[in-house]
Amino acid sequence: MKITRLSLWHVPLTSHEAYYMSDGKTCDTVETAVLRVDTDVGLVGWGEVCPIPHYLPAYARGVGPALTELAPVLLGADPIGAEALMAKADAFLQGHRYAKSALDIALWDLTGKAAGLPVHALLGGRRAGDMPLYHSITCIAPEDMARIAKDARARGMAQFQVKLGADGDWQADVARLRLVREAVGAGPLVYGDWNCGATSLDASRVGRAVADLDVMLEQPCATIADCARVRDATGLPMKMDENAHDTASLLEAHAAGVMDAVALKLSKFGGLSATRRARDLCLHLGAKMCVECTWGSDIVTGALLHLAAATDPARLMNTCDLSSYVSPRLDPGAPERLNGRIAPPEGPGLGITPDLDLLGTPDLILD
C-alpha cells in the first residue's frame, strides 16, 4: 500500500457558548484542520488537529506548510504502522508536533482499516466499555458557573473542570470553586484550572482560601517551579496540562511533586503514537490521566477515545468529548456522552466517517 494523496480542509468550529479562560484565552469560533490520506488501494485515513488562540505554539494554518514540507517523505510511502512513517517524518522535519498529530491520527486510522480492527485494538486492547468524562465550565460569573455545574451533574456528569482567572479577581475564583463544589455536592471531582494564567501568589491565595474543600488545582502558573510553589503553599493536589508535552516534562513534573494528575493531549505530544508512549510512562509514574486533545470535532475526539479505551481504567481519571462543545459535527453519527460517560466509536480504524458535503472542496491537495 502507498500514500497517493494528502487533502486538507480548514473548518470553523463554533463553541456552543463563548469559552473564557485566564490571561485572555478564548474559544469562540476556532479553525480546525482536517486531513485525509488517500492510498493506492482505495483506503483513506482521517486526521484532525485544532489549535486554539494563545494556548500552544501552534496555529491551524501551519498544518498545510508542514505537510507540504513533508510531502516528499509521505507520498509513495507505506502508511501501515504509523510509528515507522512518523519516525521518518520526525527525522525529515523537526518539531511541528501539532501538524504531525493530524498525520499520525490518519495513519492509525489507515492501519486499523487495513487490519479490519478498531484503533483501540492496535493500542493494546479495549480495557473499558465506556469511560468517564469531565465537564469544562467557562470562566464567567461564579453563580452562573454553579448553575452550569448543577445542570451537568443532573445529566450524569461527575467530574468538573472550573476555569479560573478570566477576570483577574482571585476572590471571584474562590467563589467559583466554592459555589461549584456546593452545586455538585460531595463526591464528584472538582478542579480549578488557570491555564498558566496565575502568579504563584494569586494561585496560592486562592488555594489557601479553599483548602477546606475537596478540590484539585490545575496548571496555575506557566512554569513547573511556580506550580510547585503553589502546591507547597496550599497542600492541594495538582494536575499538569500545558507543561506536560513530552517525556522529559512528565519526568520533571513528577519529580517536582505536581503531577497527581496530568492532561495528555494528542496535539501537544504529536498524535496517538507519542501520546501512547506518554501514557505508558504515566502508568509507571503513578499519575492519573486525562486523555484528550486541545480542541476539535469528531475525528480527534474519536482518536482520543480509542486511546482512553485502551488505558487502565484505574489510572484513567477522565477523557473528553470535544465534539460536544462545538458545531458543526464532522460526523453526525459519532459517539455522544451518556450519563457522564462515553464509548469509543465502533468499526475498523477510528470508526469516524466525516461528511464530505460539509467539508466541501479541500484547501490543499498534495499528490
Side-chain angles (χ1 to χ4, degrees):
M1 188 186 306
K2 294 181 179 179
I3 295 174
T4 57
R5 176 177 293 178
L6 306 172
S7 303
L8 186 69
W9 293 262
H10 299 91
V11 181
L13 299 178
T14 301
S15 302
H16 296 315
E17 59 179 333
Y19 196 71
Y20 300 108
M21 297 170 278
S22 69
D23 206 25
K25 303 179 185 72
T26 61
C27 277
D28 189 358
T29 298
V30 180
E31 201 169 66
T32 194
V34 175
L35 173 66
R36 186 176 74 184
V37 178
D38 286 84
T39 67
D40 60 351
V41 298
L43 291 179
V44 302
W46 291 94
E48 180 188 8
V49 66
C50 186
I52 59 176
H54 319 301
Y55 180 73
L56 293 174
Y59 65 108
R61 292 285 168 158
V63 177
L67 292 173
T68 301
E69 189 73 13
L70 286 168
V73 174
L74 302 176
L75 294 173
D78 184 351
I80 302 305
E83 288 165 305
L85 186 51
M86 290 307 299
K88 293 179 181 179
D90 287 337
F92 190 83
L93 176 66
Q94 296 185 27
H96 303 278
R97 292 176 184 164
Y98 68 98
K100 292 174 181 174
S101 180
L103 171 63
D104 182 81
I105 290 169
L107 297 179
W108 278 98
D109 189 23
L110 270 171
T111 301
K113 289 172 178 174
L117 294 169
V119 166
H120 58 70
L122 307 179
L123 292 170
R126 189 167 180 170
R127 303 290 299 273
D130 57 15
M131 298 79 67
L133 293 162
Y134 73 90
H135 190 75
S136 188
I137 306 173
T138 181
C139 189
I140 51 179
E143 296 80 6
D144 293 330
M145 295 177 74
R147 174 186 51 78
I148 292 170
K150 187 174 182 179
D151 290 346
R153 182 72 182 117
R155 296 193 301 272
M157 298 299 297
Q159 301 191 37
F160 300 88
Q161 181 192 64
V162 181
K163 293 297 185 182
L164 304 175
D167 54 9
D169 183 349
W170 74 272
Q171 291 174 305
D173 288 337
V174 172
R176 291 177 174 109
L177 285 169
R178 285 199 170 276
L179 291 180
V180 169
R181 177 79 273 174
E182 178 182 336
V184 302
L189 179 66
V190 173
Y191 48 104
D193 180 19
W194 283 274
N195 291 106
C196 295
T199 63
S200 59
L201 173 60
D202 287 344
S204 295
R205 295 177 83 183
V206 173
R208 286 197 297 263
V210 298
D212 60 309
L213 301 179
D214 174 21
V215 296
M216 180 171 65
L217 306 181
E218 179 176 354
Q219 192 73 57
C221 307
T223 68
I224 289 174
D226 277 346
C227 289
R229 275 189 277 276
V230 175
R231 170 67 185 265
D232 292 344
T234 64
L236 292 171
M238 189 167 291
K239 176 188 173 192
M240 283 288 99
D241 181 0
E242 287 86 348
N243 282 146
H245 52 80
D246 58 15
T247 53
S249 59
L250 293 174
L251 290 168
E252 182 183 356
H254 174 72
V258 293
M259 206 169 76
D260 298 288
V262 61
L264 301 181
K265 294 184 174 176
L266 305 184
S267 61
K268 291 193 301 177
F269 286 86
L272 283 167
S273 299
T275 310
R276 177 176 67 163
R277 294 192 292 270
R279 187 275 312 270
D280 292 344
L281 176 59
C282 288
L283 291 174
H284 171 70
L285 296 176
K288 284 267 196 173
M289 288 169 277
C290 169
V291 174
E292 57 172 345
C293 200
T294 308
W295 207 244
S297 188
D298 293 295
I299 301 170
V300 72
T301 295
L304 66 90
L305 292 180
H306 281 287
L307 182 58
T311 299
D312 181 357
R315 304 293 287 281
L316 181 73
M317 185 172 76
N318 52 42
T319 188
C320 186
D321 54 342
L322 293 166
S323 52
S324 76
Y325 292 90
V326 300
S327 62
R329 297 290 295 266
L330 298 180
D331 179 356
E336 296 186 2
R337 63 173 62 179
L338 178 64
N339 296 323
R341 302 182 70 86
I342 195 167
E346 300 292 337
L350 293 178
I352 298 295
T353 305
D355 183 346
L356 291 175
D357 291 334
L358 184 153
L359 291 176
T361 303
D363 297 314
L364 174 68
I365 294 176
L366 298 168
D367 52 17

